[in-house]
Amino acid sequence: MFSKILSRKSLQFLGLLVFLVIGVCAASVARDLMLAEPAPSSASQRRQQLRASDHSVTQAVNRWSQFVSSQFAGDQACQSCHPAEYEAHQRSGHSRTATPMADSELAQQLLEQGEYDDSLRDQTFRFQKKAGQFLVSTSAGQGRAVAKQNSVPLTNDPSVSVAVNWLLGSGTHAQTPLAIQAEGTRGIEMRWSSFHGDGKLNVTPDHDEYDSFRAGTLECFGRPMDAMDVRSCIGCHSTVVPPPPLPLTSQTMIANVGCERCHGPRKKHVVLAERGLPEQIKPMIDQHDSGAHMETCSACHRDERSVSPDSTAAERARFQPYGLKKSECYLQSSGELTCSTCHDPHDTTSHDRGQYIQQCQSCHQSQASAICPEEPSGDCIECHMPLTPWTQGIAFHDHWIRIVAGTASHESKTDLEASP
């Protein structure tokens, strides 16, 4: 589900905060890997080359890890000087967007449950933990499996299994597991997700096309992902990920969206702060600039550059920057209106409706002509940012602030949704 949020265009934004890191390390890794000799002819030489290649990758991983540790301080380092922001971040969904599957609460619940029946496929998934890995197995030819040309079987064994590495999503709405190869060249968005934090499983959104699946392939477990999908998905749920071809592991990634995802690497800032000189190291990204602020949010929450033209109104409502940037409120604000005008970027999303209405009125009732003629003291959100159902009981407020048909007395004044 969440791995499908990003289009290929929006992957370009993932380097926003770590473009220097990735550039330096990718060049170093590429240099190492290019030192490998041409493919040898004998089995002995091939084994020797594999060992040399593994050694080169290990060296590159070590350099990457050293580079990250020298540049990134970690969320905990921010606490002493920014306690309010740190505590707020711990409450937010950003702080728990990527959890190793084997360590997650959902994994424990599924191990107790033992299995899950997919009624749409007439298929059973079984769960177990072995050698620290969370394993999912199923029968390759079970249920609505179909034989198709060019299907490359995972195995000749009728029972297949995969190790699920990551659980993505905070659980506020849903969590979706991923099974990815360590090198990140392919993966699987699992067929089932947990919704509303209750541990109950249902079909992952946008998996309709996999109700029937190719027997013996990755489709047995869900939606196959290529390298671009994998790094897009993991990238938006992490602070930093390594450049290809380095592996995607807990050692090479900084999981979850931490302080330094939005403020950039701050290790030098922390070191100087301990000496009383924090201002000598400026942030890589200046969040006081509204343009940079919107770019940071849009990198994962998406704007007009990465929302599909054929997406539905319900799908577009999930992408808040897309809607906000089309709003007259935004267009006429001279760059003053950003996501943080209404939302504390460090904290969990507030559900205080009065707070949001007051924010609207701070601009719209500065003059008598700006007072809403329909509901002067009513609920601005209900009329102009209606709650839009998406799937599985999940709904999002439409951030395209406008007069919407079907709310208050505006039924005849505008269409429910205009063209994107």
Side-chain angles (χ1 to χ4, degrees), residues 211-228:
D211 285 350
S212 294
F213 55 99
R214 295 178 297 170
T217 69
L218 298 179
E219 291 180 4
C220 288
F221 296 96
R223 182 177 72 88
M225 305 169 69
D226 61 19
M228 183 77 77

Side-chain angles (χ1 to χ4, degrees), residues 339-371:
C339 304
S340 63
T341 300
C342 298
H343 301 290
D344 182 346
H346 301 103
D347 211 335
T348 188
T349 303
S350 172
H351 295 285
D352 184 348
R353 184 63 65 89
Q355 171 189 323
Y356 294 126
I357 294 172
Q358 184 178 17
Q359 189 63 51
C360 294
Q361 292 175 344
S362 67
C363 293
H364 287 282
Q365 291 196 3
S366 59
Q367 303 177 31
S369 60
I371 298 176

Side-chain angles (χ1 to χ4, degrees), residues 50-90:
L50 287 174
R51 286 194 295 269
S53 178
D54 289 343
H55 179 67
S56 294
V57 171
T58 299
Q59 287 184 319
V61 167
N62 289 338
R63 278 201 303 276
W64 166 261
S65 299
Q66 292 169 4
F67 189 83
V68 170
S69 66
S70 71
Q71 298 297 318
F72 289 82
D75 294 343
Q76 193 71 40
C78 304
Q79 183 179 15
S80 60
C81 294
H82 308 283
E85 290 82 358
Y86 175 83
E87 293 301 328
H89 178 260
Q90 295 305 298

Side-chain angles (χ1 to χ4, degrees), residues 15-299:
L16 181 62
L17 303 177
V18 292
F19 58 94
L20 292 177
V21 177
I22 289 178
V24 170
C25 293
S28 177
V29 172
R31 180 191 63 200
D32 274 348
L33 297 182
M34 289 175 66
L35 294 177
E37 294 294 325
S41 56
S42 71
S44 175
Q45 287 176 315
R46 284 195 294 271
R47 286 194 296 270
Q48 184 178 1
Q49 181 185 358
L50 287 174
R51 286 194 295 269
S53 178
D54 289 343
H55 179 67
S56 294
V57 171
T58 299
Q59 287 184 319
V61 167
N62 289 338
R63 278 201 303 276
W64 166 261
S65 299
Q66 292 169 4
F67 189 83
V68 170
S69 66
S70 71
Q71 298 297 318
F72 289 82
D75 294 343
Q76 193 71 40
C78 304
Q79 183 179 15
S80 60
C81 294
H82 308 283
E85 290 82 358
Y86 175 83
E87 293 301 328
H89 178 260
Q90 295 305 298
R91 294 189 294 267
S92 75
H94 284 147
S95 68
R96 54 183 187 277
T97 54
T99 306
M101 182 65 185
D103 300 333
S104 67
E105 292 183 9
L106 179 61
Q108 302 312 309
Q109 294 170 352
L110 297 184
L111 291 172
E112 294 175 5
Q113 181 177 321
E115 60 184 34
Y116 164 69
D117 293 319
D118 185 336
S119 60
L120 295 179
R121 279 184 166 189
D122 188 23
Q123 180 185 13
T124 299
F125 295 95
R126 293 172 290 277
F127 312 115
Q128 62 177 317
K129 190 174 182 179
K130 185 180 296 184
Q133 290 187 314
F134 184 84
L135 302 177
V136 181
S137 62
T138 189
S139 297
Q142 188 180 10
R144 297 181 64 178
V146 296
K148 296 182 180 179
Q149 287 186 334
N150 302 321
S151 293
V152 179
L154 291 169
T155 174
N156 293 324
D157 193 321
S159 180
V160 292
S161 65
V162 294
V164 177
N165 320 80
W166 293 98
L167 181 64
L168 301 190
S170 67
T172 302
H173 296 300
Q175 291 179 300
T176 299
L178 296 187
I180 61 174
Q181 289 185 328
E183 64 269 25
T185 56
R186 69 174 182 170
I188 311 167
E189 180 184 66
M190 301 305 286
R191 166 77 178 173
W192 36 268
S193 295
S194 171
F195 293 86
H196 310 296
D198 57 12
K200 295 180 180 179
L201 302 184
N202 212 328
V203 177
T204 301
D206 300 322
H207 275 236
D208 298 352
E209 63 181 295
Y210 300 108
D211 285 350
S212 294
F213 55 99
R214 295 178 297 170
T217 69
L218 298 179
E219 291 180 4
C220 288
F221 296 96
R223 182 177 72 88
M225 305 169 69
D226 61 19
M228 183 77 77
D229 293 329
V230 169
R231 292 193 181 264
S232 295
C233 195
I234 292 292
C236 262
H237 290 80
S238 304
T239 297
V240 65
V241 296
L246 269 63
L248 294 169
T249 67
S250 297
Q251 289 69 44
T252 62
M253 298 165 46
I254 299 179
N256 303 313
V257 179
C259 308
E260 291 166 293
R261 176 59 193 259
C262 298
H263 296 285
R266 305 301 286 145
K267 183 67 171 283
K268 294 179 181 178
H269 168 77
V270 171
V271 170
L272 287 177
E274 294 171 349
R275 303 174 186 171
L277 304 170
E279 297 302 321
Q280 289 194 8
I281 299 295
K282 299 297 182 183
M284 181 181 290
I285 295 176
D286 182 3
Q287 293 294 349
H288 296 292
D289 177 88
S290 60
H293 183 107
M294 292 300 294
E295 283 290 315
T296 301
C297 297
S298 299

Side-chain angles (χ1 to χ4, degrees), residues 393-416:
I394 299 173
F396 296 93
H397 279 282
D398 187 343
H399 280 62
W400 185 355
I401 307 166
R402 66 199 187 284
I403 297 175
V404 181
T407 58
S409 58
H410 301 310
E411 289 85 352
S412 62
K413 292 189 177 182
T414 187
D415 294 330
L416 180 63

